[in-house]
Amino acid sequence: MTNTAQASGLSRAQRQKAQLRAEIIEAAFEEFSERGYHQTAIADIAQRLGIGHGTFYRHFENKRDILEHVLDAAIADLTTALRDDFSPEKVNSLAEYKTQLASILKKLYAFAQSNPRALRLMLMEATSIDEEMTKRIAAIHRDGQRVASEYLQHGKRKGFFRSNLDTKATATAVVGMLMAGSMQYLFQPEDKSFQKDFGKAVIDLLTAGLAAQPDRCAVNSGEAD
C-alpha cells in the first residue's frame, strides 16, 4: 500500500515544514487581529508559537511576506468560490440575473465569514502599509469594477438593462456598495438582520433600478399636452 508521504508526493520533513508555515501564518493573523498589522512584531508572532526568530526567518522574510501569502490565498479562495457564478453569458433575462446576483452575494457573505481577518486587512489596513500594497489593493478594486462592468454591458446587449446605462460609472458604484457592506459586516458581524436587508437592497438596486424602461419622457410629454 502506498504510504501518505508517497501519495502526497511530499516527504515527512516537507509536510512538517508546510505545517509550520501554515501555523506561522495563522499566528501572525491572530496577532494582526489583536494588535493591528503595524503594531505586531516578529517577536510577538514567534512568542505565540513558541519558536525562535531564526525559525520564523527560515520560512518568511518578514511579516510583509506573510501578508502577501495570505492575500494570495484569500483571493484564490474567493475566485474559486465564485467561478461558477461569475459568467455573464449564463444570464439572458432580468430574472436570471437576479437569481445569479443572489447566489453571488451569498457566496461573498460566506467568504467574509470565513476570512474576516484578510478582509479587515484589505479594507482597513493594507493601504497604510506601503505604496506597493496600496497599488495591489487598487488593482483588486479595478478587477472588481471590470467584472461588474462586463455584467452590465452584457445586460445592455441582451436588452434587460437600460441602453443608456453608463456601465463604467455604475460598475464603480457597485463595487463601492459591496465594500460598504463588507465594512458594515466587519463592524457588526452578528447583525444578521442588516446583512439580509443589505443583500435585498443591493438586488433591488441592481435589477429594478437598472432595468430597461419605456420612454417615460415621451409618456410624460403626452400627459402634459
Side-chain angles (χ1 to χ4, degrees):
M1 181 179 290
T2 304
N3 62 34
T4 303
Q6 291 173 331
S8 65
L10 298 175
S11 67
R12 180 178 180 182
Q14 288 172 320
R15 294 199 309 277
Q16 290 175 335
K17 181 178 180 180
Q19 178 63 31
L20 182 54
R21 279 176 61 87
E23 291 174 357
I24 292 173
I25 290 174
E26 180 64 22
F29 267 74
E30 290 290 345
E31 292 293 329
F32 294 162
S33 297
E34 293 175 9
R35 303 171 185 268
Y37 176 85
H38 292 287
Q39 287 70 41
T40 298
I42 298 302
D44 299 320
I45 301 170
Q47 183 176 9
R48 179 177 283 266
L49 277 178
I51 62 175
H53 283 57
T55 300
F56 177 94
Y57 286 113
R58 281 199 293 273
H59 293 270
F60 298 97
E61 293 181 11
N62 47 42
K63 65 179 183 179
R64 176 68 164 72
D65 187 23
I66 289 179
L67 181 58
E68 289 286 350
H69 284 80
V70 171
L71 286 180
D72 287 343
I75 292 169
D77 288 345
L78 181 59
T79 300
T80 299
L82 296 175
R83 182 176 294 132
D84 292 338
D85 286 317
F86 271 172
S87 177
E89 291 72 21
K90 291 184 177 181
V91 176
N92 295 296
S93 69
L94 193 65
E96 290 178 1
Y97 176 76
K98 186 174 183 177
T99 299
Q100 189 183 55
L101 182 59
S103 178
I104 290 173
L105 289 173
K106 182 178 180 180
K107 290 179 179 179
L108 286 174
Y109 173 57
F111 173 80
Q113 287 182 304
S114 301
N115 300 273
R117 291 171 297 179
L119 190 64
R120 183 178 296 276
L121 276 170
M122 285 191 285
L123 292 178
M124 302 177 69
E125 292 196 56
T127 54
S128 68
I129 293 172
D130 56 40
E131 183 178 358
E132 182 181 350
M133 181 55 66
T134 297
K135 290 180 179 178
R136 180 169 185 189
I137 297 301
I140 293 173
H141 290 176
R142 287 195 299 272
D143 284 344
Q145 292 163 2
R146 175 185 53 78
V147 171
S149 182
E150 289 174 357
Y151 269 82
L152 298 173
Q153 290 168 12
H154 177 74
K156 285 177 64 174
R157 288 192 298 269
K158 289 293 183 177
F160 58 82
F161 281 156
R162 299 196 310 268
S163 60
N164 64 345
L165 183 66
D166 185 330
T167 57
K168 182 177 181 180
T170 305
T172 301
V174 169
V175 172
M177 279 195 301
L178 295 179
M179 287 180 62
S182 298
M183 291 288 285
Q184 181 65 26
Y185 172 78
L186 290 175
F187 294 144
Q188 295 182 298
E190 74 287 349
D191 192 347
K192 308 299 183 184
S193 177
F194 173 82
Q195 292 157 18
K196 181 179 179 180
D197 291 342
F198 178 80
K200 183 178 183 302
V202 170
I203 292 173
D204 287 346
L205 284 170
L206 296 183
T207 51
L210 304 180
Q213 300 289 337
D215 190 345
R216 296 188 180 277
C217 290
V219 172
N220 292 337
S221 176
E223 291 174 350
D225 292 340

